[in-house]
Structures are given as C-alpha cells and as structure tokens.
Amino acid sequence: MTPPSKRAMVPFVSVANMMRLVHHVGLPVFLAELTQAVTDDFKRWPAFDKTPRVPAHSPGGVIELMPTADDTLYGFKYVNGHPKNMAEGLQTVTAFGLLADMASGYPLLLSEMTLLTALRTAATSAMATRALARPDARTMAMIGNGAQSEFQIIALQAVCGITDVRLFDVDPAATAKVMANLRDTGLNLTACTSAQDAVLGADVITTATADKRNQQVLTDNMVGAGVHINAIGGDCPGKTELHRDIVARADMFVEFPDQTRIEGELQQMPLDHPYTELWQVLTGQAPGRSRPDQITLFDGVGFAIEDFSALRYVYDRARGTDYVENLDFIADPDDPRDLFGMLARAA
C-alpha cells in the first residue's frame, strides 16, 4: 500500500508540545505576540465570516462550536464550560481546534486549545486594555482567581505595563495559588479579603468568575471614575458579573454584538443600549477612551476570530519544528475515486 501523501498527514500540537512551545518562546513574549496576532485579525474584521457560537446546553454546562473563516483559512474550536467539574477534580473548560485550507478543505493544523484558549482570552483582554484603559494604568484588580487569572495578569503585565495586582476570590485557596504561581514575576501582589477591597486604587478591573448564574461581582459604588473593566466571565445566557447600574454608566465595547447580546453583560440592557464594536476602535473608525475620567467596559465573551488568530499564530510558530507531530488523519487513496479499494487492499 502506498504511504499517505504529505497533505494527508496533519500537524498536531499536543498539550505537552504546546507547553514546550510556550516555554521556548517565553510566556510574556508568547502573550505579547498573540495579542498582536489577535489585533491584526480584528483590524480586518470585515474579511471574516461571522456567526455566534453554536451551543448545546445541559443543566451542568454547555458544549459549543466556534467557527469562522476568511478567504484563505477556516478555523473552528470545540469548547465546553462546566463549572460543576471543579468539584469533581475536572477542568471547567476544555477545548481543541482545527485550522484548514479554504481552497482544498484539507486540515492544516489540529491543536489542543485548553491551554491555548486561556492564552488567547488573556491576549484579547490585553488588546482591549491597551486600546481602552488610561495610558498610565498600572494597578489591576483580579476578581476570580481560577484557571484564567494568571494568564490575564501576565498578559496585562507584558502588553500594558501593569505592575501591581490586587487579588480576590471567594475561595482563599485560589488566591493563594495565584500568589504562589506569580511570586517570581516582579509584580507587587496583594491578597484581598473582599471584592470591595480588591478594587481600591485599581486602574483596571478584570472579573473572571465561573458561576453560571447572574452575579453582582461588582456593584456600582465600587467603580470609580477613569477605571477600565474587563468583564470576561460572561459566556452564556443568564450569566453576568456586573450590577446593571455599572453597565448603564460605562461606555461599552464588544466583540460580535449578536453573540454578546446573548451571553454578555449586554443581555441585561434594553435593545437600544449603546455599544461600540472593538474592531472599529482598533481601526480608528470609532473612538475608544476619550477622557481620563471615562469608565470603559470590555464586555468580553470570547469570539471565534480570537481562536482563529490563536491557531494561525501557533501554525506559523510551530510548523517545521518538533513542536508538532504528524497524524495520519485524512484518508488518502491512490485514486481519489477509489476509497473502497484503499480499504479493501488494507485487509
């Protein structure tokens, strides 16, 4: 039997190799480069096919497909969100993704995306913070100290120059984990006993909580003038983190409105509530922060273009290296019309 052709062998980035790649590049550099990759794709937003992610909800969580494409590449991510998993020793979020050639339909890359989703989510927050926070912002409040938190913090340190971080989680062990993981990063870390304490003096507030219900992680009296908020915990209907009054008085910036309306803080508001699409800020078509005392809110729910950017970045970084292994993934008969014959001859 003829060996599979090169096109049939699909490069695969495993969890082990993703970790090797990140360490080879260096986490701050990886996040800074990934932030730029996401920014570059947001700046060509009209070039993409866009649709809200396709969810399958259950009482314990959600499984979603997140597809998008431009004229040369197609990408999708499979991702779940099951907050109950933590109590069973499982990840809340797991994911994998694929990048394909639009001209032939053949896959170009298959990759783990549990780690990569955390990295691209942090990169997107860094992109939004760089565009919307005050240029002199140096202190960050990180509310919700779960699996996403360290990535968020390192991304804002690398991209936005954050130097001080105030931490709060309803589980003190989660905060202790972050303090231990980031002790050698040069950041000034403070463990706080409440969300109210954490936001004192903060220029940037990031909320990343996992509970699927409507929450009020931040109330209106906690948010002062000039603050930028990354509300990234919202990712499904009925899950919010901010008191409605905060959303009402902040200037809101979103990814894809059709999806944010379903999943983000925007779901709390009337249909005529104003917002700005972030890609328009990045291309100069709409203003971002216009005055120092403005409250800016990035209502980040995660969108497929960010995953596309992450897969494209990893594809460019890893191809031709030993960070990928080739999988015999696509049936490759000698005669494209004779798939049955290929099977029969393999007996």
Side-chain angles (χ1 to χ4, degrees):
M1 186 174 66
T2 305
S5 69
K6 184 177 179 181
R7 292 294 296 274
M9 303 297 290
V10 178
F12 169 60
V13 179
S14 66
V15 174
N17 280 331
M18 183 66 74
M19 292 191 291
R20 289 179 60 228
L21 177 61
V22 172
H23 284 297
H24 170 73
V25 176
L27 179 58
V29 174
F30 191 103
L31 284 165
E33 291 181 352
L34 183 52
T35 299
Q36 193 56 52
V38 177
T39 302
D40 291 344
D41 283 337
F42 266 60
K43 286 183 175 180
R44 57 189 195 93
W45 188 267
F48 287 91
D49 293 332
K50 294 174 284 292
T51 185
R53 54 184 147 207
V54 183
H57 292 279
S58 67
V62 63
I63 296 174
E64 299 166 329
L65 291 179
M66 301 175 64
T68 192
D70 62 12
D71 59 354
T72 60
L73 295 172
Y74 172 91
F76 81 85
K77 182 174 76 174
Y78 165 101
V79 61
N80 78 293
H82 286 72
K84 71 175 183 62
N85 281 2
M86 193 64 63
E88 302 172 14
L90 302 174
Q91 289 284 302
T92 299
V93 175
T94 66
F96 67 88
L98 184 140
L99 195 68
D101 174 28
M102 284 287 284
S104 67
Y106 270 57
L108 299 172
L109 178 74
L110 178 66
S111 179
E112 83 78 34
M113 289 196 75
T114 306
L115 275 167
L116 191 54
T117 293
L119 291 159
R120 74 85 161 136
T121 303
T124 303
S125 292
M127 174 181 70
T129 303
R130 181 168 62 185
L132 299 173
R134 299 193 322 271
D136 62 350
R138 294 295 176 267
T139 300
M140 172 187 184
M142 185 72 232
I143 300 176
N145 299 160
Q148 177 63 220
S149 56
E150 292 94 340
F151 298 96
Q152 291 283 322
I153 292 165
I154 295 297
L156 265 65
Q157 180 190 32
V159 175
C160 306
I162 289 296
T163 58
D164 296 80
V165 183
R166 300 176 63 80
L167 300 160
F168 173 71
D169 193 286
V170 293
D171 180 2
T175 301
K177 173 213 62 162
V178 177
M179 296 283 288
N181 283 341
L182 300 184
R183 64 179 178 270
D184 297 325
T185 58
L187 291 161
N188 299 314
L189 304 170
T190 303
C192 301
T193 57
S194 67
Q196 179 94 36
D197 183 23
V199 301
L200 290 175
D203 308 305
V204 177
I205 302 171
T206 298
T207 57
T209 58
D211 197 307
K212 280 192 69 174
R213 299 167 296 178
N214 289 318
Q215 300 290 305
Q216 292 185 6
V217 177
L218 294 181
T219 54
D220 194 36
N221 64 309
M222 295 165 63
V223 179
V227 168
H228 171 67
I229 304 169
N230 294 311
I232 64 167
D235 57 9
C236 63
K239 179 183 178 185
T240 58
E241 297 181 307
L242 308 184
H243 191 285
R244 188 180 184 280
D245 290 349
I246 299 173
V247 184
R249 70 187 178 103
D251 289 303
M252 178 182 282
F253 299 84
V254 305
E255 295 143 309
F256 186 53
D258 290 358
Q259 182 171 299
T260 309
R261 171 67 64 189
I262 299 168
E263 302 177 350
E265 301 299 324
L266 187 57
Q267 66 185 289
Q268 302 188 63
M269 309 308 289
L271 292 176
D272 61 352
H273 183 76
Y275 58 78
T276 301
E277 294 184 53
L278 186 56
W279 74 270
Q280 295 175 314
V281 176
L282 297 171
T283 57
Q285 298 179 44
R289 175 173 292 273
S290 57
R291 61 185 193 279
D293 64 347
Q294 183 180 9
I295 298 171
T296 52
L297 167 60
F298 172 52
D299 191 4
V301 298
F303 188 61
I305 290 173
E306 296 149 28
D307 300 308
F308 177 100
S309 303
L311 288 165
R312 181 178 61 79
Y313 170 73
V314 169
Y315 178 67
D316 290 340
R317 263 290 189 179
R319 62 178 166 175
T321 74
D322 66 354
Y323 299 114
V324 298
E325 53 190 295
N326 289 324
L327 298 183
D328 186 3
F329 197 63
I330 301 295
D332 189 40
D334 297 335
D335 179 348
R337 300 166 299 179
D338 192 20
L339 188 63
F340 182 88
M342 183 188 76
L343 173 64
R345 288 187 292 273

